[in-house]
Amino acid sequence: MAAYTDGTVPFLVDGEELKTYYRIYGSISDDNLPPLIAVHGGPGLVGYYLSPLSKLVDRNGRQPVIIYDQVGNGRSSHFPDKGPEFITIKLFVDELENLIAKLSIKEYHILGHSFGGCLGAEFEAERHPPGLKSLILSNSLADMKLFAQSEAERLATFDNADELGAAFAKGMEDPKAFRAALDTFNGRWASRYFTERPLPEDIDPFLWWFGDEEKGIEGDYTVSGKMSTWTILGRIHQIRVPVFLITATDDFVQSYTAEPFFWGLKKIKWINLEHSSHLPFWEDPENYMNLVGKWLEQDASEVS
C-alpha cells in the first residue's frame, strides 16, 4: 500500500464546526494527475475499506488517491445526539464540496462506491462542480427502492432467511446477532471472492459501527440506515460528466439497480465483473485497478 499523509479539515454546519478526516495517497501537487477522490458507502461506514485503491498510485506514480470519513463516522466528527433530520444527502454533498475546497483541488475524478456512488451522482447532478472530470459509480444504485428490492431478493437465497431478516430488523438492539447476520449475508453477496477471514483490520468496513474495546474504538451506528428514500430517477440527465459504471454479477446491489444510469446518459461506459460481488477492489484487485486506471488515463472525449 502506498504511503499516505492525513489530517482533518474544518466543516461548518449551521455555525458548528465539524471536522472531516482524510488521507492522501501520493501527492496532489500540480505536477501530478488530477486526484481520484474515493467516496465510501454505508451510509455509516468509513473510508479506509477503500484503501486498496491506493494501488492506483503505484501504476505510474502520478495518480494520487484521496479517501475520507464522512462526518458521523470513523475519525471525523460524530454527533450521536443529532436527530435524523440532521443526517441528509445535502449534509454529505456539502461536506464533499468543502473537502475539495479546503484541499485546494482544482481538477479531480470521483469514485463513489455503493452509497458513495449515490453521493457522487447527487453532487454532480445538483452542483455541477467545475473541476469534476469524471464520475466512477462502482457497485452503486440509482434508487433506494430498487436497492431494497435487490437486497430482499439476495436475502431470500438463504435457507435461514427469516432468521437473518429478524436480526437485521433488530439491528443494534442485538449487536451480536446483527454482526453475525451481516457476516453471513456479506460472505455470499459482498465479499464472496475475498476468502481471508477474519477480515483484515484495515479494511473491515464495520469496525467503527460495532466498535472494539481493545483498539479503543467506540462503536457508533448513528448515521447507518439513513437515506432510505433517496433517488436520482428523473434527474439522471443532469449528470454532465463522463460516467464509468461498474457492476458485479454476485453483488447484493444487483446490476438492475444501476441500469437507469446507462439508459439516462450519453457519455457512459458500463462494465460488469463476473468474478466479484460488492467489493471488487478486494476480490479482483488487479483487474479492477487496471480498469479504473485506464479510465483515469483516457481522454473524456473518448467516452460515448
Side-chain angles (χ1 to χ4, degrees):
M1 187 177 299
Y4 66 84
T5 56
D6 64 352
T8 62
V9 297
F11 173 41
L12 283 176
V13 182
D14 297 331
E16 179 180 357
E17 185 176 296
L18 305 179
K19 297 210 176 280
T20 300
Y21 171 82
Y22 67 87
R23 287 183 183 179
I24 301 174
Y25 296 92
S27 170
I28 56 173
S29 70
D30 292 339
D31 294 333
N32 280 337
L33 297 171
L36 175 68
I37 302 174
V39 185
H40 69 74
L45 299 182
V46 291
Y48 64 65
Y49 80 88
L50 296 173
S51 60
L53 292 171
S54 64
K55 295 185 177 104
L56 291 167
V57 179
D58 299 328
R59 279 177 59 88
N60 55 31
R62 297 181 59 236
Q63 179 59 68
V65 174
I66 300 170
I67 64 174
Y68 72 102
D69 295 343
Q70 294 155 29
V71 285
N73 310 299
R75 294 175 175 84
S76 292
S77 296
H78 289 235
F79 34 76
D81 298 327
K82 300 281 189 185
E85 69 281 353
F86 182 77
I87 304 166
T88 64
I89 192 82
K90 180 180 181 299
L91 173 72
F92 297 117
V93 166
D94 288 345
E95 179 188 30
L96 177 55
E97 190 171 55
N98 178 74
L99 176 68
I100 292 165
K102 290 293 192 299
L103 294 178
S104 300
I105 299 170
K106 296 175 182 177
E107 290 189 328
Y108 54 93
H109 303 266
I110 285 177
L111 186 153
H113 176 254
S114 196
F115 166 73
C118 306
L119 178 51
E122 184 80 13
F123 179 50
E124 159 59 14
E126 293 301 313
R127 304 289 168 90
H128 299 309
L132 181 60
K133 295 179 67 64
S134 78
L135 189 58
I136 302 170
L137 303 178
S138 182
N139 309 87
S140 193
L141 54 132
D143 178 79
M144 284 295 182
K145 289 182 180 179
L146 289 175
F147 165 74
Q149 175 184 326
S150 175
E151 190 175 44
E153 290 170 354
R154 294 309 203 194
L155 182 62
T157 65
F158 291 89
D159 292 337
N160 62 336
D162 290 342
E163 178 186 341
L164 295 174
F168 288 144
K170 287 185 178 179
M172 293 304 281
E173 294 177 20
D174 187 347
K176 185 175 180 180
F178 184 33
R179 181 69 199 252
L182 278 171
D183 289 345
T184 298
F185 182 84
N186 289 336
R188 180 178 295 181
W189 297 119
S191 55
R192 176 182 292 203
Y193 298 91
F194 187 82
T195 58
E196 187 174 343
R197 296 292 185 277
L199 293 175
E201 177 184 326
D202 63 338
I203 62 174
D204 180 356
F206 302 112
L207 184 63
W208 288 83
W209 272 11
F210 295 97
D212 189 310
E213 188 173 346
E214 291 184 5
K215 298 179 177 67
I217 297 174
E218 187 175 342
D220 187 349
Y221 198 62
T222 304
V223 178
S224 179
K226 307 301 187 288
M227 316 300 167
S228 61
T229 61
W230 179 84
T231 184
I232 201 168
L233 299 180
R235 295 183 293 133
I236 291 175
H237 66 280
Q238 296 175 12
I239 296 175
R240 300 179 180 181
V241 299
V243 171
F244 186 17
L245 189 64
I246 302 174
T247 58
T249 298
D250 294 314
D251 196 346
F252 69 91
V253 185
Q254 296 179 65
S255 61
Y256 70 75
T257 68
E259 188 173 342
F261 287 112
F262 185 74
W263 299 112
L265 296 172
K266 293 181 179 180
K267 290 187 175 182
I268 185 166
K269 179 179 181 179
W270 183 5
I271 287 183
N272 185 71
L273 303 175
E274 295 292 339
H275 301 291
S276 294
S277 54
H278 194 57
L279 299 163
F281 34 85
W282 296 4
E283 301 170 282
D284 191 13
E286 185 175 349
N287 182 38
Y288 189 86
M289 300 309 160
N290 185 51
L291 291 169
V292 172
K294 286 183 176 179
W295 172 268
L296 296 174
E297 291 163 4
Q298 75 177 347
D299 190 300
S301 64
E302 299 175 15
V303 182
S304 60

